[in-house]
Amino acid sequence: MKKNVTFLTKRDFDVKLLIKNLKKNSDSITDVKDQQILKEIINLLVKNGTSFLSPQEIHFLDSNDEENWAKYLIFRYKMKYFPRKQLVYNFPIYLLIEPVSACNLRCIMCFQIDESFTSNNNFMGNMEIDLFKKIIDEAVEGGTKAITLASRGEPTLHPKLGEMLEYCSGKFFELKINTNGTNAFKDFWKEYVDHVVIVEMENRWDTYNNPKEIAGTCACEYLWERMYVWYDGLCNPCDADYKSELSVGSIQEKSIHEIWHGQKYTDLRNMHSNGKRNMVFPCDRCPNGS
């Protein structure tokens, strides 16, 4: 990791250079739908400049080869707009993989303080390295460009986290770890980490006991964007549902593609898009989609 500390706040970029590059590299985009997306991105840049790009996206453009810009912005377009338009991509745009479901802390805002979760051996465990590699292989083949290693637990507790990171190296545009930073992370992060983002502590979501009055009234965009894979291969649409009431299948039994397009996921999306999320537990008390 670089010794200097910077914050991702930059929002300006040479828009003429970017448009020129995207037009130049348009021939490298072979998928017809991706070609159309690239045209839409160029039109947005012509109309609005780079104002619609996030600091994270600007940072990528600043830090990576120009030949990757077009494919990266197409990926980010899908991640931003497909969920809003409720478009189901061929494969999850974003995968969150759980190396470990346990944690070394009990932060007051986290579901780790739920003893019915942490004391249940069915919920606690470490992902086998072979299962992890199977997930990554499917993600690469399916076209996922964003991976986060985390979910319900602390990923740095996994004894083979370094091997996991090495196996992911060079395969994705975005590779993240969500960590509390206490478990000797400082001893190895210089070898793996390009930049660190510190997030503000959030209020506790008591998912299963929230009053229904706080529930979102719109469809939850997660259903068209991401999928979570727990340590044991169980797949879930979100981690607010940390006890898997909404489980959509297991990678041990089906492929990620089959689960993503399976009946359970499809039915859940339909309930949300048809204004019936209030008939689904625990979506009926979750503020996502407010």
Side-chain angles (χ1 to χ4, degrees), residues 44-287:
L44 284 170
L45 289 168
V46 171
K47 182 179 179 180
N48 303 315
T50 58
S51 60
F52 74 98
L53 297 179
S54 69
Q56 177 182 339
E57 291 161 345
I58 296 294
H59 175 75
F60 182 94
L61 298 175
D62 274 333
S63 307
N64 289 269
D65 293 338
E66 294 183 6
E67 63 185 27
N68 291 322
W69 290 359
K71 292 180 180 179
Y72 173 75
L73 290 179
I74 290 171
F75 144 68
R76 291 295 299 184
Y77 179 97
K78 293 174 182 176
M79 196 169 187
K80 184 182 298 183
Y81 293 107
F82 276 29
R84 296 179 188 178
K85 298 178 180 180
Q86 298 184 5
L87 298 176
V88 182
Y89 188 51
N90 184 54
F91 201 85
I93 302 168
Y94 179 25
L95 276 178
L96 297 97
I97 306 169
E98 177 182 84
V100 180
S101 59
C103 189
N104 59 324
L105 297 182
R106 293 293 181 268
C107 300
I108 59 172
M109 74 290 186
C110 182
F111 32 67
Q112 287 285 338
I113 66 172
D114 182 350
E115 293 185 359
S116 68
F117 172 65
T118 56
S119 64
N120 189 326
N121 289 334
N122 291 328
F123 293 135
M124 296 291 106
N126 291 1
M127 180 173 283
E128 296 291 336
I129 191 66
D130 288 341
L131 176 60
F132 177 82
K133 291 181 178 179
K134 172 180 170 18
I135 296 166
I136 295 302
D137 290 345
E138 287 193 26
V140 172
E141 183 179 357
T144 292
K145 300 298 183 184
I147 298 287
T148 291
L149 303 187
S151 189
R152 302 174 297 179
E154 171 53 47
T156 63
L157 294 177
H158 200 291
K160 295 187 177 180
L161 179 62
E163 183 177 349
M164 291 177 168
L165 292 171
E166 291 289 351
Y167 196 74
C168 293
S169 179
K171 297 177 179 176
F172 306 100
F173 284 138
E174 297 177 2
L175 175 61
K176 303 176 187 176
I177 304 174
N178 292 345
T179 175
N180 58 40
T182 64
N183 186 45
F185 189 54
K186 61 182 181 297
D187 292 337
F188 70 85
W189 72 350
K190 292 181 181 179
E191 183 177 351
Y192 297 107
V193 177
D194 294 320
H195 62 271
V196 175
V197 176
I198 300 174
V199 297
E200 185 178 3
M201 187 178 75
E202 296 182 351
N203 293 326
R204 164 94 171 118
W205 279 14
D206 190 5
T207 304
Y208 305 107
N209 299 300
N210 279 339
K212 292 184 178 181
E213 289 75 20
I214 72 167
T217 55
C218 300
C220 178
E221 293 183 357
Y222 283 3
L223 300 174
W224 289 269
E225 179 207 53
R226 65 179 64 185
M227 186 164 76
Y228 291 78
V229 186
W230 299 156
Y231 80 93
D232 56 359
L234 200 64
C235 298
N236 223 57
C238 74
D239 63 352
D241 173 38
Y242 56 92
K243 292 183 181 178
S244 306
E245 295 287 337
L246 301 172
S247 175
V248 288
S250 173
I251 189 68
Q252 305 272 23
E253 299 169 356
K254 295 182 179 180
S255 69
I256 294 174
H257 181 273
E258 289 173 319
I259 295 169
W260 183 245
H261 292 280
Q263 195 61 50
K264 288 185 177 180
Y265 234 132
T266 300
D267 289 345
L268 185 57
R269 292 187 187 107
N270 288 340
M271 292 293 281
H272 273 249
S273 61
N274 292 329
K276 297 180 180 179
R277 64 174 290 167
N278 63 321
M279 299 174 64
V280 181
F281 176 78
C283 303
D284 62 349
R285 59 202 68 208
C286 175

